[in-house]
DNA sequence: AAGAAGTCCTGGGCGC
DNA sequence: TGCGCCCAGGACTTCT
């Protein structure tokens, strides 16, 4: 599911293809996904695309912005003179945009098109004054960001010291803490599972039982798996695709995530799956203690 | 206050 | 083959 590496991959692609385009017209096919008045952005020019945790912000030249959260199944696909016509709709499925899951179309100048697709319709698009973006609930509560991508000006970084403090303050199992966007931003189920495996730590371990050494190892493992996700341009688990509608590659390199019943890459034990905090959780019963 | 459960939604996997 | 059931999950709301 789209986490920091996936959303950053998307941001990089969008930056390349839609910055300096003008939004001529916005076509909203599913009203509930769009909040705010589209007339504020029609005629405006796209200046910059920022990412805060798993959230995207498209900044315009008229003091308005488009804040977007793609949640589980959102896609932002550019079509234009430089873009391929065929796109990946989901795993192994090829098609074109717009399609039946396209709920919003941004018509750009120079014949460009930006389609927002969302199979499960969990995502949202908010049209808002740029200065108001940081006041939105999602952005307001965001914790510091693991330092793996280019940081924005003034953005808090999740340093090792900060990570140690957070772990020390928490009481419950370690995995839900990693995924709590108000504590640290950008980590979701894929990278939490793989990070814990890389660190050799059981996701159920209560945070007070982690030694200082284990906390530092976990910190480094999280940065490592996020970095690896970025290197492979994200993971296509449900239907994540980049700005051109192409799949990521990290799913080929999952350590434990979605590998129930398969062999551990370290010791060949069988990967187990269970629920923790309502989320699918994967472990190697031998490597993770 | 913090933690658990319910909410949104639909394709796909399963059983019969 | 085809129908119906139920699950997955990020962030938010509601309940305990």
């Amino acid at each position: 599911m789209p986490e920091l590496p996936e959303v950053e991959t998307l941001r990089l692609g969008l930056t390349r293809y839609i910055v300096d385009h003008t939004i001529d017209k916005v076509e909203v096919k599913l009203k509930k996904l769009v909040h705010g008045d589209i007339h504020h952005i029609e005629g405006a020019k796209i200046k910059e695309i920022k990412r805060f945790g798993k959230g995207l912000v498209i900044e315009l030249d008229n003091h308005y912005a488009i804040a977007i959260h793609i949640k589980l199944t959102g896609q932002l696909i550019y079509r234009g003179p430089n873009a391929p016509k065929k796109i990946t709709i989901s795993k192994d499925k090829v098609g074109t945009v717009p399609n039946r899951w396209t709920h919003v179309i941004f018509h750009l100048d120079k014949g460009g098109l930006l389609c927002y697709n969302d199979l499960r319709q969990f995502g949202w698009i908010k049209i808002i004054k740029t200065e108001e973006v940081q006041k939105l609930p999602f952005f307001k509560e965001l914790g510091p960001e693991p330092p793996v991508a280019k940081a924005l000006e003034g953005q808090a970084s999740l340093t090792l010291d900060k990570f140690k403090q957070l772990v020390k303050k928490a009481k419950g199992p370690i995995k839900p803490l990693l995924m709590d966007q108000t504590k640290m931003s950008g980590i979701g189920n894929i990278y939490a599972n793989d990070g814990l495996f890389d660190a050799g730590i059981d996701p159920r371990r209560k945070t007070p039982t982690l030694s200082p050494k284990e906390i530092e190892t976990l910190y480094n493992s999280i940065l490592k798996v996020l970095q690896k996700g970025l290197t492979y341009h994200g993971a296509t688990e449900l239907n994540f695709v980049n700005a051109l509608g192409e799949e990521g590659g990290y799913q080929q390199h999952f350590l434990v995530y979605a590998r129930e019943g398969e062999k551990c890459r370290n010791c060949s034990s069988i990967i187990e799956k269970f629920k923790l905090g309502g989320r699918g959780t994967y472990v190697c019963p031998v490597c993770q203690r």
Side-chain angles (χ1 to χ4, degrees), chain A residues 73-77 87 97 99 101-103 115-119:
Chain A
T73 55
Q75 302 177 325
L76 277 167
I77 300 176
I87 57 126
V97 277
N99 56 42
W101 301 284
T102 303
H103 304 307
C115 295
Y116 180 75
N117 301 346
D118 199 338
L119 187 149

Side-chain angles (χ1 to χ4, degrees), chain A residues 72-85:
Chain A
L72 303 175
T73 55
Q75 302 177 325
L76 277 167
I77 300 176
Y78 172 75
R79 282 280 312 278
N82 307 323
K85 285 202 161 54

Side-chain angles (χ1 to χ4, degrees), chain A residues 50-65:
Chain A
K50 293 179 176 173
R51 181 188 53 76
F52 299 89
K54 305 176 196 173
L56 275 177
V57 179
I58 300 176
E59 291 191 357
L60 308 174
D61 67 350
N62 65 347
H63 305 292
Y64 272 86

Side-chain angles (χ1 to χ4, degrees), chain A residues 103-150:
Chain A
H103 304 307
V104 184
I105 303 174
F106 299 88
H107 295 267
L108 309 176
D109 61 353
K110 306 170 199 163
L113 215 60
L114 182 67
C115 295
Y116 180 75
N117 301 346
D118 199 338
L119 187 149
R120 292 190 189 166
Q121 305 170 16
F122 279 12
W124 46 252
I125 295 174
K126 298 181 184 188
I127 294 162
I128 191 171
K129 282 206 165 144
T130 308
E131 64 197 52
E132 303 284 324
V133 170
Q134 296 305 320
K135 296 177 190 167
L136 289 172
F138 175 79
F139 294 97
K140 193 172 62 183
E141 306 291 338
L142 267 187
E145 175 138 344
V148 290
K150 197 186 119 198

